[in-house]
């Protein structure tokens, strides 16, 4: 079997001495889609941020390997250039910077070379069409005054343009209306390819109806407490986390 | 004789100097004698000579403003050369400008810009305007664009009517100093209804060490006319400080529109203490776009007096202070008539221990109803050692006014940096992008060429290159 795209080994991380991730392990291979579900505050976004190298969080143990290379000590931009992408739960506004300008610089950065203007425009418009976005939208300032749904769609546009190897989508479905969810999910399925790995963080089974995961993991209190196939998501949807927690407690786990 | 400039700040690309003796260089220091020398050499009318002498007395009596930077106390008025004449010609063709001066302006890209996108150019070198020219079609329409000295010679009546009326010598210590020893600057008159669609530009260059440059600009926009004037400035880097104390007076008549854009890029041994003021009459629009990147200390608050109903004033101020710099900038709007509106937008950046201050005045006189005014100040601190302060003053003596005031000081946001870096941008590139976005509301107001220039200067400043 080939080297996993992303390998997380016993990852521990926190903030100001407060441990949030208490030993998370997860392996994503090429072509795989994984979903992480879990109650509010269980550490899902923390995991996403730590994978991307957010300096706010301190990694206190474990390893993160991207395509076999340990990336614990790499900066966020180095990770991005290696092919990692994070779609933020709360994308950050950058007033005065147009989406088109931002995307162009980002693409140049991850490719490590200047992309010709024409090629860039064609790529941008193709991906905007894929996401059913109005072309004028590219002239707006990044996330500045975007609606919740627009922000999420813009995150997907960035992913589509940058074409990462491993993408982490942190609650990309929340904030999207039903039609938008379908559009975005279809786009993700189009972007996904056998060389790529995907980690979806979500609260809702609905997203997983559109993007079928191969594996589902349940994160509670900084630990993955159960892993399974897509049926696990359905079970959670039906029974909730509390039932699962009670079961785990009963089994002494 | 000048000593060679220091090359301590490598990134400042305008720090070169011309190693030549000036035609005439006054001994350092101020006196009534030096004023007579200046006035004689210029062949001025008696009233101007007397105006200068009176102003000198005022300068000697006036104190520095109590709120001004303590740095002001370190200006050594006795060591400054108040008048340095490099050439005795104000040429209309670059071919008639002395070779070495022409080369300087070539290096600054002025003749090239003139060909490409300007309606007219004035170039001042030390105390005197060495070149000015305006497109023939505008001249044929009666637009006047001259050096101030030549303006006084050729249009004495017009100059006498307005000179010193908007900024009287007693306004402040440096306005008095300028009134006493002024030399150079621009004189512009735009006849009724004439619209000058592309900018006129003046470029101010200091070449000598320990030099005082005191240009004086007077712009009269007659009824329904329109003009955009742009000024730029640079100087060599010397160990001794230079002083730049300009006065700009603008009269915007009924229905006229004036925009005055400054890209100030003095070397960091220049004190830049400038008084800029405009009066706007009925339905007139006055806009100041004021970018301050260079200098050691700048104190400058472009002002608009809204004199009649329908007048609108706008001040867009951008300041960037790097190591050893203090940009004390802002603006003043005085609503002296009902139905008047104004906007002040100030954006400041501080880095490497640099300091920016926003100082503003918004005044609404009694009986001035239906007034709308907006003030917005944003300061961005790029590191822990830098500083920014806001000193807004509001004097509102009328009841029916609508005023919005917002002021924010922020640090470079960790969230924004992380977001941009997660897309592959280096820390440096991410910071630059945030800064570019921050100044965008001002930069987008500039003609494309100047927007490019300003963004470039900001990037150099970000690299610590302007020092
Ligand atoms: N920057 C931070 N500062 C302080 N506490 C934090 C920070 N980030 C996360 N936490 C804490 O860590 C815990 C996990 O937060 P995290 O955002 O990872 O949860 P989540 O699983 O993504 O929740 P949600 O489903 O609500 O998005 C929470 O208790 C949260 O308050
Ligand atoms: Mg979260």
């Amino acid at each position: 079997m080939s080297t996993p795209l992303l390998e997380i080994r016993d990852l521990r991380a926190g903030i100001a001495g407060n441990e949030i991730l208490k030993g998370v392990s997860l392996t994503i291979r090429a072509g795989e889609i994984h979903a992480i579900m879990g109650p509010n505050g269980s550490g899902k976004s923390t995991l996403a941020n730590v994978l991307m190298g957010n300096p706010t969080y301190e990694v206190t143990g474990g390893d993160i390997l991207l395509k076999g290379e340990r990336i614990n000590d790499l900066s966020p931009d180095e990770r991005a250039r290696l092919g990692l992408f994070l779609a933020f739960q709360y994308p950050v506004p950058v007033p005065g910077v147009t989406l088109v300008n931002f995307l162009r610089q980002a693409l140049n950065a991850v490719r490590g070379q200047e992309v010709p203007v024409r090629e860039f425009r064609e790529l941008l418009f193709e991906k905007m069409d894929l996401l059913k976005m109005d072309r004028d939208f590219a002239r707006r300032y990044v996330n500045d005054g975007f609606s919740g749904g627009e922000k999420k769609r813009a995150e997907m546009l960035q992913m589509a343009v940058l074409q990462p190897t491993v993408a982490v989508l942190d609650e990309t479905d929340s904030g999207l209306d039903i039609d938008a969810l379908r559009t975005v999910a279809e786009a993700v399925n189009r972007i996904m390819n056998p060389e790529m790995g995907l980690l979806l963080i979500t609260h809702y089974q609905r997203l997983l109806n559109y993007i079928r995961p191969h594996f589902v993991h349940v994160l509670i209190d900084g630990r993955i407490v159960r892993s399974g196939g897509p049926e696990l998501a359905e079970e959670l949807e039906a029974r909730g986390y509390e039932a699962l927690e009670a079961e785990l407690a009963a089994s002494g786990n | 004789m000048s000593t060679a400039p220091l090359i301590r700040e490598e990134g400042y690309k305008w720090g070169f100097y011309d190693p030549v003796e000036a035609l005439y260089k006054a001994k350092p220091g101020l006196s009534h004698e030096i004023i007579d020398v200046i006035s004689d050499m210029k062949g001025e009318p008696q009233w101007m000579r007397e105006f200068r002498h009176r102003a000198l007395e005022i300068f000697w009596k006036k104190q520095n403003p109590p709120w001004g930077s303590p740095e002001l106390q370190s200006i050594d008025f006795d060591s400054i050369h108040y008048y340095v004449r490099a050439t005795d010609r104000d040429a209309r063709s670059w071919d008639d400008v002395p070779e070495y001066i022409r080369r300087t302006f070539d290096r600054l890209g002025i003749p090239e810009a003139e060909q490409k996108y300007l309606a007219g150019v004035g170039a001042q070198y030390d105390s005197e305007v060495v070149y000015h020219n305006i497109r023939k079609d505008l001249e044929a329409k009666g637009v006047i664009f001259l050096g101030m000295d030549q303006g006084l010679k050729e249009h004495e009546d017009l100059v006498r009517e307005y000179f010193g009326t908007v900024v009287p010598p007693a306004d402040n210590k440096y306005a008095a100093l300028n009134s006493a020893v002024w030399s150079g600057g621009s004189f512009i008159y735009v006849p009724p209804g004439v619209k000058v669609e592309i900018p006129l530009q003046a470029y101010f260059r200091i070449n000598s060490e320990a030099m005082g440059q005191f240009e004086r600009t007077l712009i009269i926009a007659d009824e329904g006319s329109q003009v955009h004037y742009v000024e730029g400035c640079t100087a060599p880097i010397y160990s001794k400080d230079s002083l730049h104390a300009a006065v700009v007076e603008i009269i915007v008549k009924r229905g006229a529109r004036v925009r005055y854009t400054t890209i100030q890029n003095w070397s960091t041994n220049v004190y830049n203490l400038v008084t800029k003021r405009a009066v706007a009459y009925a339905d007139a629009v006055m806009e100041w776009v004021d970018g301050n990147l260079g200098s050691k200390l700048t104190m400058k608050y472009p002002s608009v007096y809204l004199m009649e109903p329908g007048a609108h004033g706008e001040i867009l101020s951008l300041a960037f202070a790097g190591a050893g710099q203090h940009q004390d900038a802002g603006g003043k709007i005085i609503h002296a008539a009902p139905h008047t509106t104004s906007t002040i937008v100030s954006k400041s950046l501080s880095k490497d221990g640099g300091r920016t201050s926003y100082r503003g005045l918004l005044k609404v006189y009694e009986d001035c109803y239906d007034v709308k005014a907006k003030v917005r100040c944003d300061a961005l601190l790029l590191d822990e050692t830098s500083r920014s302060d806001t000193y807004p003053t509001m004097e509102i003596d009328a009841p029916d006014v609508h005023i919005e005031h917002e002021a924010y000081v922020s640090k470079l946001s960790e969230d924004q940096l992380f977001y941009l870096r997660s897309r592959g941008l280096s820390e440096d590139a991410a910071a630059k992008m945030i800064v570019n976005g921050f100044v965008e509301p001002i930069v987008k107001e500039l003609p494309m060429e100047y927007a490019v220039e300003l963004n470039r200067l900001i990037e150099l400043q970000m690299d610590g290159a302007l020092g």
Side-chain angles (χ1 to χ4, degrees), chain B residues 398-415:
Chain B
D400 177 23
V401 298
H402 180 75
I403 297 199
E404 285 173 45
H405 183 266
E406 293 174 283
Y408 301 96
V409 179
S410 49
K411 297 210 175 89
L412 208 52
S413 148
E414 293 295 334
D415 288 347

Side-chain angles (χ1 to χ4, degrees), chain A residues 15 20 38-46 56-57 89-90 171 203:
Chain A
I15 219 165
I20 303 169
N40 295 128
S42 57
K44 304 182 295 297
S45 293
T46 301
T56 307
Y57 300 89
Q89 183 176 5
Y90 304 108
E171 295 201 28
H203 286 292

